[in-house]
Amino acid sequence: MKPREIIPDVHYVGAQDFDRRLFDALIPLPDGTSYNAYLVRGRDMTALIDAVEPAMLHVLQDRLKDVPRIDYVVSNHTEQDHSGGLPWVLERYPEARLLSSEPAKPMLVDHLGLDPAQIRTVADGERLDLGGKTLRFIYTPWVHWPETMSTYLEEDKVLFSCDWFGSHMAQTDLFVDGVDCILGEAKRYYAEIMMPFRKIVQKNLDKIKDLEVRLIAPSHGPIHRDPSSIIQAYRDWADDKPHNTVVIPWVTMHGSTALLVERLVNGLAERGVTAHPFNMATADIGKLAMTLVDAATIVVAAPTVHVGPHPMALGAVVLANALRPKVRFAAIMGSFGWAGKMADVIKAAMPNLKVELLPTVICKGLPRPADLAAVDALAEAIAAKHREAGLF
Ligand code: FEO
């Protein structure tokens, strides 16, 4: 495998991982992923930007086999899917200096066992002239870890953004084909990786707003030739205002909770509110996470197992609590056989969600007319809240 030219003197040397089906042992990857690395050649010096996941190191090794010298290796982000190949790179190119942000240095030592003497930190805004190719390092914390930075190639106006603006997608074409397709993949990625740091994403977007960017070359997925589309999508996803949508993670054991969910979904639809039910027994949790990006309300619906909520419904709550979407309202529905603390356990599991709790609806066994009327009232309350919030 050879380096692949993106623009003159800038080559792709990363790896496409078509077979990977799960990231972080959590989020499904229907289209695989990639670990992108880039080689920038100046008149005088050459820099490698990021490395690859250790499992795909052989691809990086093959692409670099005819590259005799690397002067600098830029580590934009310490997570191992981009840094795992660095020990090999530094061994293969002992003359190379590893460049990282200040906070990244101890993390590279901790995660990879590197010698601190091998690492030179760069300041926010610092430049490095390779000879007609100038790299500018821009600290962009929390997209994805606190140490993360982006690297901007001034002459060609390429932003090597690492995780942000990335997408889990493996393909042989290096550039984005269809904007709609990539925005779906990028949103799945944003939901898992960026959403918890939404406020800082806003700050990072402001930080690069005056930067002229012709290409965004992320560390996952294809390169953006139309940076404005993905930047605008990020602005919308990170924006404080949710959409007129309700996410309903639910589980049923004997059908009672399913009846409540069916009633709520129809009740919301009749009132002009978009409902997204996810049966957690079969749901793609990546899709659940994506839907949480815009949702104004989450309604968790669970039967009772012993005295607590069904673990699959509780798992959705734990995930939502970790991802910290911008939801403003929450409610709990469900059923029980004899007794239980299902609702209390669910409420206690969502401390990160800054939500107004709407009335709980719980039935004993099959829902009676009064229970279904309570679901209708919940649908009405949600619609009213969304209307008051100006969502429709
Ligand atoms: Fe793709 Fe946060 O690593």
Side-chain angles (χ1 to χ4, degrees):
M1 272 170 281
K2 294 182 165 58
R4 295 181 61 188
E5 185 179 89
I6 299 167
I7 55 173
D9 296 320
V10 179
H11 286 76
Y12 179 88
V13 290
Q16 304 292 318
D17 192 345
F18 289 94
D19 290 333
R20 188 156 180 181
R21 282 293 167 268
L22 207 54
F23 209 81
D24 293 341
L26 180 65
I27 295 290
L29 303 181
D31 299 305
T33 191
S34 68
Y35 319 104
N36 301 339
Y38 303 94
L39 202 62
V40 180
R41 288 189 172 97
R43 263 190 327 272
D44 308 317
M45 291 179 286
T46 296
L48 173 69
I49 298 178
D50 287 318
V52 297
E53 164 83 26
M56 300 299 280
L57 180 59
H58 60 285
V59 177
L60 180 68
Q61 291 171 331
D62 204 28
R63 289 199 198 275
L64 293 180
K65 68 177 183 298
D66 295 324
V67 176
R69 180 181 173 90
I70 289 177
D71 300 279
Y72 291 101
V73 182
V74 178
S75 174
N76 277 330
H77 176 28
T78 314
E79 194 166 13
Q80 287 88 333
D81 50 331
H82 312 293
S83 70
L86 291 179
W88 173 81
V89 172
L90 295 175
E91 199 179 311
R92 161 87 168 82
Y93 300 98
E95 72 282 8
R97 297 299 305 270
L98 179 57
L99 305 179
S100 77
S101 72
E102 189 79 42
K105 183 171 179 175
M107 296 174 75
L108 287 164
V109 172
D110 290 342
H111 286 278
L112 302 173
L114 296 178
D115 178 352
Q118 294 175 289
I119 307 167
R120 190 186 113 193
T121 60
V122 293
D124 187 18
E126 187 173 328
R127 289 178 166 86
L128 174 69
D129 184 2
L130 302 173
K133 296 279 184 201
T134 308
L135 302 180
R136 192 198 312 172
F137 306 105
I138 304 171
Y139 281 25
T140 46
W142 295 104
V143 290
H144 156 221
W145 280 0
E147 90 305 2
T148 307
M149 66 179 189
S150 302
T151 299
Y152 180 63
L153 175 54
E154 294 190 338
E155 289 79 3
D156 300 292
K157 308 193 184 326
V158 181
L159 183 68
F160 299 98
S161 60
C162 205
D163 271 351
W164 69 324
F165 307 125
S167 50
H168 283 311
M169 183 179 250
Q171 61 174 43
T172 56
D173 294 343
L174 293 182
F175 292 90
V176 168
D177 278 337
V179 169
D180 289 347
C181 165
I182 197 63
L183 290 185
E185 297 290 340
K187 190 174 186 181
R188 175 183 286 262
Y189 187 77
Y190 168 92
E192 187 208 1
I193 301 292
M194 308 289 163
M195 184 156 57
F197 314 113
R198 188 172 62 81
K199 291 287 187 186
I200 305 176
V201 169
Q202 291 175 0
K203 285 187 183 151
N204 284 326
L205 288 170
D206 287 343
K207 190 168 184 177
I208 64 159
K209 77 176 182 343
D210 295 325
L211 207 60
E212 189 184 345
V213 181
R214 287 193 200 138
L215 294 178
I216 293 181
S219 59
H220 297 287
I223 298 165
H224 300 272
R225 273 198 182 104
D226 173 17
S228 61
S229 294
I230 186 71
I231 289 173
Q232 186 50 47
Y234 260 64
R235 284 217 173 272
D236 182 39
W237 299 335
D239 189 71
D240 294 334
K241 189 170 183 179
H243 295 186
N244 178 30
T245 59
V246 179
V247 175
I248 310 170
W250 66 280
V251 183
T252 199
M253 291 162 67
H254 300 292
S256 299
T257 302
L259 290 171
L260 300 178
V261 171
E262 183 183 46
R263 185 80 170 204
L264 181 67
V265 168
N266 290 328
L268 290 170
E270 286 163 8
R271 290 166 174 81
V273 179
T274 302
H276 295 286
F278 288 90
N279 182 343
M280 295 311 298
T282 54
D284 170 352
I285 61 165
K287 197 104 188 277
L288 170 67
M290 281 170 71
T291 311
L292 282 167
V293 168
D294 306 311
T297 299
I298 180 170
V299 178
V300 183
T304 301
V305 176
H306 301 301
V307 295
H310 191 289
M312 286 180 168
L314 186 60
V317 178
V318 171
L319 180 69
N321 187 63
L323 297 182
R324 287 184 277 162
K326 56 185 146 187
V327 285
R328 295 185 184 177
F329 311 102
I332 298 162
M333 302 196 306
S335 58
F336 66 98
W338 58 93
K341 296 181 177 170
M342 181 270 283
D344 293 339
V345 175
I346 289 177
K347 281 178 203 165
M350 52 169 80
N352 292 340
L353 301 186
K354 305 304 175 204
V355 289
E356 177 184 343
L357 271 175
L358 301 176
T360 298
V361 180
I362 296 187
C363 57
K364 184 174 185 182
L366 280 170
R368 307 295 196 276
D371 301 312
L372 297 176
V375 175
D376 293 341
L378 176 60
E380 185 58 39
I382 291 170
K385 291 291 181 189
H386 284 203
R387 221 176 284 117
E388 277 168 29
L391 305 184
F392 76 114

